[in-house]
Amino acid sequence: MDNDCLFCRIVAGEIPATVVHETATTLAFRDIDPKAPVHVLVIPKAHHGDVLALARDPQAAAEVLAASAEVAQAEGLTADGFRLIFNTGRHSGQEVFHVHAHVLGGRPLGPMVSG
Ligand code: AMP
């Protein structure tokens, strides 16, 4: 655990979150500032800074992907579709440096990128 990491502190229970799915190695909780009717963040409990770091741990990567699919199913997103996003680095606007998959859906999501 990284004591300076917001999402590590959510995993540790030090900061509250609305948890919607949990496994031994992953946690999923609602985004505090949702950009769509469903906006859930799926994280590995272990600290990985971004998706590049996560990719170096294939088991953890697979677990995050599987948890994301289960969240999409549980949130009723699989019939109409959804978006799975890993913001990574400066150009993406990544704000929290504990890797997280954004699961977004519940309405048509528009173009993949703006501007
Ligand atoms: P990113 O820009 O990809 O790093 O996304 C970080 C996301 O974390 C944003 O969508 C924020 O709204 C969300 N966020 C920040 N703090 C919290 C929190 N305490 N609980 C839930 N989501 C959060």
Side-chain angles (χ1 to χ4, degrees), residues 35-40 77 81-83 103-109:
K35 308 298 189 298
V38 175
H39 188 172
V40 173
L77 302 180
F82 61 97
R83 194 166 283 159
V103 179
L104 291 152
R107 64 164 167 79
L109 295 168

Side-chain angles (χ1 to χ4, degrees), residues 8-98:
C8 282
R9 296 186 67 198
I10 287 177
V11 171
E14 295 174 6
I15 293 175
T18 305
V19 172
V20 297
H21 186 272
E22 183 169 11
T23 69
T25 57
T26 67
L27 192 69
F29 51 92
R30 298 205 187 280
D31 196 291
I32 203 167
D33 181 18
K35 308 298 189 298
V38 175
H39 188 172
V40 173
L41 304 176
V42 182
I43 67 170
K45 289 182 177 176
H47 184 86
H48 297 277
D50 62 17
V51 77
L52 299 171
L54 183 65
R56 291 193 283 273
D57 183 345
Q59 185 174 337
E63 289 164 352
V64 168
L65 199 57
S68 300
E70 286 170 16
V71 166
Q73 182 84 49
E75 295 287 326
L77 302 180
T78 55
D80 290 325
F82 61 97
R83 194 166 283 159
L84 192 62
I85 295 174
F86 289 93
N87 286 325
T88 308
R90 190 160 48 93
H91 278 189
S92 75
Q94 183 180 2
E95 292 174 351
V96 178
F97 289 86
H98 181 131

